[in-house]
Amino acid sequence: MKLTFRTFNCGAGDCLFLILQKEDSSFCIMVDCGYLKDEILTFITEELNKRIDLLIVTHIDNDHISGLVSLLDKLPDLQIGRILFNCYHRPIIEQPLVLSEKQAAALAELKQRLPSVNVTVDGKINAKEAISLSEKILKNESWAAAWACEEVIAGQEILLDGDYGKITMLSPLQEDLNALELQFKKEFWSKFFDKHSKQYKADEEIYEVLLRLWETTIIEERASKVTYTKPTKDSFLKAADTKVLPVSLPNRCSIAFVYEYNNHRFLLLGDADPGIVAASLKGKIEGEMPYLMDMIKVSHHGSSHSTTSELMKIADSMHYYFTGGNKEERPSLETLSRIITEPLNGQERRVLHFNRKNTVLKDLCAMPELEEFPCEMDLENKPYEVEI
């Protein structure tokens, strides 16, 4: 079987594909989409024939969801076999509550704060509109049927149809999803002036909108002016020992998983917490550590607090993929240092792949001392292909 891993530059966020091909069939996994570029739409339309067998939405964050809303709007005939998305999950009840006129108006106003997408009608752009992903899914009978109602949590195993291997979830933890639901109820109270004590017909949409806006507030509060200094060999080496800060609750709730087929493993980390991933790998995969993966998609676009030396002692690879990011913080010098300077575990070298360049990366590649380390920098975002 041939496996191809592809990433697309979709701005700050992720857009990933695992394509599994046998002689007479194929299976496609799509993970997130921050911004829907024409090349992504063309790829799904022409190369995938408008078919995604498994769509994984790692977490409720604009740079992972916004492009999916645009995709579903532009391809109403897109076939999706199964959707994994931790939004509001509830048992089906006969008579959920309907929002009052005042609450419905409040929700409509809140939705206008979400990133807007170009809405198409009869193949033509009609207007820009703020739409939630959950709303888009549930309005399409086929997609709604593909969206599993159960929560996706660490420890779950999913066997892929057609004997295409399996996925083992490494994050999130149930306790973090519970904490996120508690935050949702706080946001509901503050925006709708009522306790969320019963189920509402629009709960999925309300949950997503409130928590996406809350996530934006967290990012704004945590934002700080980055004082950037061009790296030297000394500062590069010291960067690996920089203190790792706690990961935010929304990112702790990110889906991370390992795809396995025979003895091959592919680690896709979303924006997950490295401590959670490390603990899950210890408990679920047997054998000597570190577990050598065929490839690793680095967590949170290479932020300084999402990759640790402790995690690398548990999971390592010859190939590391960095996706998205921003000017000076992601990918960070700290994460690049931790990966490049970690002793090898049987590999000849490490190859670091990037689909978006930033100042840190450009300066690091220009640093002559980088040649002293057994690493290769792929700035062309080459797909990873392997027979497994």
Side-chain angles (χ1 to χ4, degrees):
M1 182 175 76
K2 180 181 178 181
L3 179 145
T4 302
F5 174 73
R6 289 198 61 172
T7 83
F8 286 88
N9 181 351
C10 63
D14 287 351
C15 183
L16 319 173
F17 293 89
L18 268 177
I19 303 164
L20 317 170
Q21 295 173 295
K22 297 181 180 179
E23 289 185 3
D24 56 353
S25 62
S26 64
F27 192 98
C28 175
I29 303 171
M30 180 179 183
V31 183
D32 295 338
C33 187
Y35 177 77
L36 184 67
K37 289 190 173 181
D38 289 343
E39 62 175 330
I40 300 173
L41 187 62
T42 299
F43 176 72
I44 294 172
T45 301
E46 298 181 2
E47 299 295 325
L48 302 182
N49 297 314
K50 299 183 182 180
R51 169 75 190 183
I52 296 169
D53 296 283
L54 177 60
L55 174 61
I56 299 177
V57 187
T58 59
H59 60 303
I60 296 177
D61 195 347
N62 288 326
D63 68 349
H64 292 256
I65 282 182
S66 296
L68 292 175
V69 178
S70 298
L71 174 64
L72 299 187
D73 183 72
K74 293 188 176 186
L75 293 183
D77 57 341
L78 178 67
Q79 300 177 60
I80 306 177
R82 185 174 183 182
I83 300 172
L84 300 179
F85 175 27
N86 276 334
C87 193
Y88 191 85
H89 296 284
R90 61 180 177 194
I92 298 174
I93 61 174
E94 292 184 1
Q95 294 183 327
L97 297 176
V98 177
L99 292 175
S100 67
E101 289 186 10
K102 184 177 179 181
Q103 290 174 324
L107 177 59
E109 190 277 327
L110 290 168
K111 284 173 59 179
Q112 293 307 310
R113 303 182 196 176
L114 296 176
S116 58
V117 302
N118 289 323
V119 178
T120 55
V121 177
D122 297 328
K124 298 179 180 179
I125 294 177
N126 187 41
K128 282 200 169 185
E129 186 177 333
I131 306 173
S132 70
L133 178 59
S134 54
E135 175 188 10
K136 205 68 187 172
I137 293 173
L138 293 174
K139 283 187 175 181
N140 181 297
E141 185 176 343
S142 174
W143 299 337
W147 188 8
C149 292
E150 74 275 6
E151 289 180 319
V152 180
I153 58 174
Q156 291 178 339
E157 290 189 354
I158 297 174
L159 297 178
L160 303 183
D161 293 339
D163 191 27
Y164 276 101
K166 72 174 182 178
I167 284 174
T168 301
M169 295 298 167
L170 306 174
S171 171
L173 301 177
Q174 183 67 64
E175 62 194 63
D176 288 325
L177 289 179
N178 292 344
L180 196 62
E181 181 167 353
L182 180 59
Q183 183 63 41
F184 157 66
K185 291 183 177 180
K186 291 179 181 178
E187 294 297 311
F188 188 92
W189 171 256
S190 69
K191 301 298 189 300
F192 295 106
F193 308 104
D194 194 7
K195 288 184 178 180
H196 190 278
S197 56
K198 296 183 179 180
Q199 295 175 358
Y200 285 82
K201 188 175 182 180
D203 266 338
E204 292 88 353
E205 181 181 354
I206 300 168
Y207 183 92
E208 179 189 336
V209 170
L210 290 179
L211 291 181
R212 283 175 70 182
L213 293 175
W214 177 63
E215 166 86 348
T216 301
T217 301
I218 291 177
I219 293 173
E220 291 174 350
E221 290 176 348
R222 290 191 172 197
S224 59
K225 178 69 174 178
V226 176
T227 303
Y228 177 71
T229 304
K230 191 173 182 178
T232 63
K233 180 180 179 180
D234 185 55
S235 65
F236 172 65
L237 293 174
K238 288 181 179 179
D241 298 324
T242 303
K243 181 180 179 181
V244 177
L245 299 176
V247 174
S248 70
L249 178 59
N251 286 341
R252 285 176 64 84
C253 289
S254 174
I255 290 175
F257 64 92
V258 58
Y259 166 74
E260 297 174 85
Y261 186 87
N262 292 335
N263 294 320
H264 295 270
R265 300 182 181 122
F266 302 80
L267 186 59
L268 281 75
L269 295 178
D271 283 3
D273 182 295
I276 294 174
V277 171
S280 294
L281 282 171
K282 279 184 179 180
K284 296 299 176 184
I285 300 180
E286 297 179 356
E288 294 184 4
M289 293 186 288
Y291 306 119
L292 290 181
M293 307 287 174
D294 289 61
M295 53 127 314
I296 295 175
K297 181 269 172 189
V298 179
S299 179
H300 202 200
H301 326 296
S303 73
S304 60
H305 52 272
S306 296
T307 299
T308 61
S309 298
E310 289 73 22
L311 175 58
M312 291 194 62
K313 287 177 172 56
I314 295 171
D316 196 3
S317 179
M318 180 175 170
H319 294 276
Y320 284 81
Y321 276 80
F322 292 77
T323 56
N326 57 16
K327 186 177 180 181
E328 293 174 350
E329 293 180 288
R330 295 188 290 273
S332 67
L333 186 64
E334 292 84 357
T335 286
L336 292 168
S337 176
R338 290 170 192 140
I339 293 174
I340 291 172
T341 63
E342 181 72 16
L344 295 175
N345 293 288
Q347 319 98 304
E348 295 180 359
R349 68 192 187 286
R350 293 190 181 92
V351 183
L352 279 60
H353 306 262
F354 305 87
N355 71 2
R356 196 179 190 199
K357 303 170 188 176
N358 75 345
T359 303
V360 175
L361 179 58
K362 291 176 183 177
D363 286 345
L364 184 61
C365 287
M367 190 176 75
E369 292 87 353
L370 188 64
E371 296 181 1
E372 299 175 15
F373 300 94
C375 72
E376 178 183 331
M377 310 294 270
D378 165 29
L379 305 182
E380 304 302 322
N381 190 31
K382 299 173 185 175
Y384 180 84
E385 297 182 344
V386 64
E387 292 288 339
I388 60 176

